[in-house]
Amino acid sequence: MNFIRRGTMAIGGSIGRLLFPPVCPGCQAALTGAGTVCPECWPKLRFIERPFCEVLGLPFAYDLGKGFLSAEAIAEPPPFARLRAAVIYEDLAARLVGALKYSDRTDLVPLMAGWMQRAGAELLADADIVVPVPLHSGRLWRRRFNQSAELARRIAREAGTAYSALALRRVKPTRSQVGLGASQRQENVRGAFKVVDPRRPEIQGRRVLLVDDVYTTGATTASATRALKRAGARDVDVLVFARVAGGTA
């Protein structure tokens, strides 16, 4: 029976590849296999590698020594312990985020989550539970899915780490952060998140890995982190697909 099942799956996969051949998510050029980008688009992604700020994950032009922090992390320390991002938010990376968030391109989740898992390996090794940044119920109904939850679920499953999509709730129907300045973003998400009482045991005393798609000024992740800490989280790390190259945390 297993032999028959494997054969059926192989045939089904072959038909699927014939009807829907893999294409590059950047330019739609044909690919020999799924889960990657074409050679022409690959240089448009700026992956974040060491050396970088140990707190904010900001890349440095040259190695400043172990544990060196960026000026942003020193001037305004974030409430979370560490942030890691797979890529800089520009060019193709920004288009991938937009395609997932606004064009229902959930087929991009394995690709993006895989890069995130690589970037956040040290955070995942320390994490007790993975929690996505939630959408407010009204926006979730309109959008039909939460891109951060899709990424977080995939990452947790691949890493074998506990996952909770419901521990953290967005209780305030905030405006879109797009186009808002840093202070406006902070005010917009102030008090926006809460860990509901029945879910507190999932958070109390545990190291939480908070997952989102993009990190810009850090207002959203800071507000979510504070809510997790108020609920008793031992500490919070943040993992995102992309982060801006600079700016205030």
Side-chain angles (χ1 to χ4, degrees):
M1 291 298 293
N2 288 337
F3 175 79
I4 295 174
R5 187 179 297 112
R6 287 196 298 269
T8 302
M9 292 174 63
I11 294 172
S14 298
I15 294 173
R17 286 191 294 272
L18 180 63
L19 295 176
F20 305 102
V23 296
C24 173
C27 66
Q28 307 306 305
L31 297 174
T32 56
T36 187
V37 298
C38 72
E40 286 72 25
C41 285
W42 185 260
K44 298 176 183 177
L45 291 166
R46 183 147 59 114
F47 287 90
I48 298 176
E49 306 284 354
R50 292 187 183 277
F52 51 66
C53 170
E54 292 297 327
V55 171
L56 292 177
L58 274 168
F60 293 138
Y62 52 90
D63 195 346
L64 298 171
K66 184 176 176 60
F68 199 87
L69 302 184
S70 61
E72 290 87 343
I74 295 171
E76 192 174 350
F80 51 80
R82 299 171 293 179
L83 179 139
R84 298 292 181 265
V87 294
I88 294 295
Y89 185 62
E90 62 183 14
D91 203 329
L92 179 56
R95 284 188 278 138
L96 292 176
V97 170
L100 173 60
K101 184 181 294 189
Y102 302 117
S103 300
D104 297 344
R105 289 291 306 276
T106 53
D107 58 297
L108 296 175
V109 167
L111 177 68
M112 296 166 68
W115 290 338
M116 291 170 69
Q117 189 171 351
R118 173 179 173 272
E122 61 183 325
L123 309 189
L124 279 162
D126 295 337
D128 298 311
I129 188 167
V130 176
V131 173
V133 171
L135 293 176
H136 187 265
S137 57
R139 185 168 295 170
L140 180 61
W141 183 83
R142 291 191 298 272
R143 194 177 290 173
R144 299 187 300 279
F145 74 98
N146 176 6
Q147 73 282 353
S148 298
E150 296 301 315
L151 293 168
R153 183 182 296 109
R154 177 84 181 201
I155 290 166
R157 186 179 70 193
E158 293 296 319
T161 307
Y163 170 73
S164 178
L166 302 176
L168 186 64
R169 290 180 59 185
R170 191 183 291 245
V171 295
K172 176 182 173 183
T174 55
R175 297 164 55 193
S176 170
Q177 297 279 70
V178 177
L180 299 182
S183 60
Q184 291 174 311
R185 284 172 177 254
Q186 291 171 8
E187 186 59 33
N188 188 39
V189 295
R190 192 184 307 278
F193 301 98
K194 181 180 180 181
V195 175
V196 294
D197 289 340
R199 296 285 177 173
R200 280 179 176 262
E202 299 178 25
I203 300 301
Q204 288 175 334
R206 310 186 81 182
R207 187 161 194 133
V208 178
L209 180 60
L210 183 66
V211 172
D212 205 358
D213 55 349
V214 178
Y215 182 93
T216 50
T217 65
T220 298
T221 50
S223 181
T225 295
R226 293 187 182 102
L228 290 165
K229 287 191 167 184
R230 285 195 298 269
R234 177 164 52 89
D235 220 333
V236 178
D237 291 317
V238 178
L239 178 60
V240 299
F241 172 67
R243 66 150 299 143
V244 294
T248 304

